Amino acid sequence: MCLIIHKPAGVEITADLLAAAAAHNAEGWGLMGFDGSGRTFVERRLVVDVDELVEVEQQYRDHEYVLHLRRQTRGG
């Protein structure tokens, strides 16, 4: 099952938490939020690189966003 994290503006998602989440949801990730002027920003990757994910979190830390970490599932 995938993991979705809602991150309020100005709140940090720690590198340790991102690494733990990525360890169990390693089939890609996506992030969507709004910048200070109300414009939508979107990031997505097919591969979860924790260092890159931490950099992106730092880049958007001042903004509210939703992070989706994908875990591939099959069947019912």
Side-chain angles (χ1 to χ4, degrees), residues 5-21:
I5 299 171
H6 168 249
K7 192 210 70 70
V11 175
E12 174 187 12
I13 302 175
T14 65
D16 289 343
L17 180 60
L18 290 171

Side-chain angles (χ1 to χ4, degrees), residues 18-69:
L18 290 171
H24 299 284
N25 299 275
E27 282 76 47
W29 63 269
L31 177 147
M32 191 281 297
F34 299 97
D35 67 15
S37 63
R39 292 188 194 126
T40 303
F41 58 83
V42 176
E43 299 277 347
R44 58 184 170 224
R45 305 289 188 279
L46 293 175
V47 175
V48 178
D49 176 326
V50 174
D51 292 331
E52 179 183 31
L53 190 54
V54 169
E55 287 178 20
V56 171
E57 191 285 323
Q58 291 171 347
Q59 177 183 351
Y60 293 116
R61 185 171 295 160
D62 292 337
H63 306 291
E64 180 176 14
Y65 63 79
V66 176
L67 172 63
H68 171 250
L69 290 141

